[in-house]
């Protein structure tokens, strides 16, 4: 006696639920992160950019930490080249994310090129939360796409608002760039190595401020984080490598 056919709607309810959860998660992250683009638009104008320059930076760079670092260097009187170098170093982690996502997303050609622009912390985290390529692509696109749209829209809103208030120094907003960057950095200081890197980088920047042109201290402190990421981590004798996060 043959088994009764399974209704199509009941084939894989758990898989459908997982996809809906990914969409909800991606949209929630997209809204929360995208709205922060308002802060970037405002501090970009406070740092000396005009509205269209701020919008172009969000559209073409699309990396919050790198954008804030670039504007911070300009606001301190540094050259655009120093700002670009600092932003590039901070954005190098996206390249590492991309190397892992290539095998998971399995896109080729122009799709891979387009997806590269959406490789950020949040889209990478959602994509790698599942091992199924189709679900990973869904989570990646929903998260990265929603953040991209909202981040650029809210950058425009923030830049227009910053322009409308006039000279930002009148309201003490000339320090807003540093404050916004610190707010972006603070949640990442979740363990002792991260705190140690932050302390060393800050100390180096303070030492260099009186003796170097504007922008160099930021570039040097960013290099501390890059060197720390490349430095091989030693496993204590007798410790289980799996517990240390080794592959």
């Amino acid at each position: 006696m043959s088994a009764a056919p399974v209704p199509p709607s009941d084939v894989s309810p758990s898989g459908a639920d997982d996809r809906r959860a990914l969409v909800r998660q991606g949209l929630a992250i997209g809204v929360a992160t995208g709205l922060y683009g308002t802060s970037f638009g405002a501090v970009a104008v406070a740092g000396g950019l005009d509205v269209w320059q701020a919008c172009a930076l969000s559209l073409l760079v699309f990396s919050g930490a790198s954008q804030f670092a670039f504007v911070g260097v300009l606001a301190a009187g540094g050259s655009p080249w120093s700002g670009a170098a600092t932003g590039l170093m901070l954005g190098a982690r996206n390249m590492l994310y991309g190397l892992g996502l290539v095998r998971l997303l399995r896109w080729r050609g122009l799709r891979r090129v387009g997806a590269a622009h959406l490789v950020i912390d949040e889209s990478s985290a959602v994509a790698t939360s599942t091992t199924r390529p189709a679900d990973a692509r869904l989570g990646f696109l929903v998260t990265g796409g929603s953040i991209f749209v909202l981040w650029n829209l809210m950058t425009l809103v923030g830049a227009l608002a910053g322009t409308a208030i006039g000279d930002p120094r009148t309201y003490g907003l000339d320090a807003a760039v540093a404050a916004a960057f610190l707010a972006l950095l603070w949640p990442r200081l979740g363990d002792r190595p991260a705190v140690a890197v932050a302390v060393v980088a800050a100390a180096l920047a303070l030492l260099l401020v009186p003796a170097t042109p504007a922008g160099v201290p930021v570039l040097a402190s960013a290099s501390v984080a890059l060197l720390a990421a490349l430095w091989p981590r030693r496993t204590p004798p007798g410790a289980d490598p799996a517990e240390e996060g080794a592959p």
Side-chain angles (χ1 to χ4, degrees), residues 12 14-24 132 134-135 138:
S12 183
S14 60
D17 289 342
D18 289 344
R19 287 190 290 273
R20 284 193 290 267
L22 279 174
V23 171
R24 288 194 299 267
R132 292 188 293 269
D135 291 352
L138 176 64

Side-chain angles (χ1 to χ4, degrees), residues 69-85:
F70 177 79
V71 172
V73 171
L74 293 186
S79 71
W81 293 109
S82 296

Side-chain angles (χ1 to χ4, degrees), residues 61-62 94-95 98 101 105 107 109-120 123 140:
V61 177
F62 187 51
N94 293 342
M95 179 180 65
L101 289 171
L105 300 180
W107 277 322
L110 292 178
R111 289 185 178 182
R112 181 180 294 184
V113 174
H117 198 54
L118 299 181
V119 176
I120 54 177
S123 61
F140 177 85

Side-chain angles (χ1 to χ4, degrees), residues 35-186:
L35 291 177
Y36 195 62
T38 308
S39 299
F40 173 72
V43 300
V45 170
L49 301 183
D50 61 30
V51 173
W52 301 117
Q53 287 172 332
C55 291
L57 200 59
S58 281
L59 184 66
L60 299 176
V61 177
F62 187 51
S63 178
S66 297
Q67 292 178 225
F68 276 109
F70 177 79
V71 172
V73 171
L74 293 186
S79 71
W81 293 109
S82 296
T86 304
L88 183 62
M89 294 181 71
L90 289 175
R93 69 189 187 283
N94 293 342
M95 179 180 65
L96 301 179
Y97 296 156
L99 293 175
L101 289 171
V102 165
R103 290 176 293 179
L104 180 60
L105 300 180
R106 301 180 184 178
W107 277 322
R108 297 182 181 277
L110 292 178
R111 289 185 178 182
R112 181 180 294 184
V113 174
H117 198 54
L118 299 181
V119 176
I120 54 177
D121 295 336
E122 294 81 4
S123 61
S124 301
V126 174
T128 54
S129 67
T130 178
T131 58
R132 292 188 293 269
D135 291 352
R137 290 192 289 266
L138 176 64
F140 177 85
L141 288 175
V142 170
T143 307
S146 58
I147 293 176
F148 182 80
V149 171
L150 281 174
W151 180 267
N152 282 278
L153 177 62
M154 300 314 293
T155 293
L156 175 60
V157 171
L160 291 174
T163 302
I165 65 175
D167 188 351
R169 291 173 295 183
T170 305
Y171 307 94
L173 295 180
D174 48 328
V177 177
F181 188 76
L182 181 60
L184 192 68
L185 172 67
W186 189 260

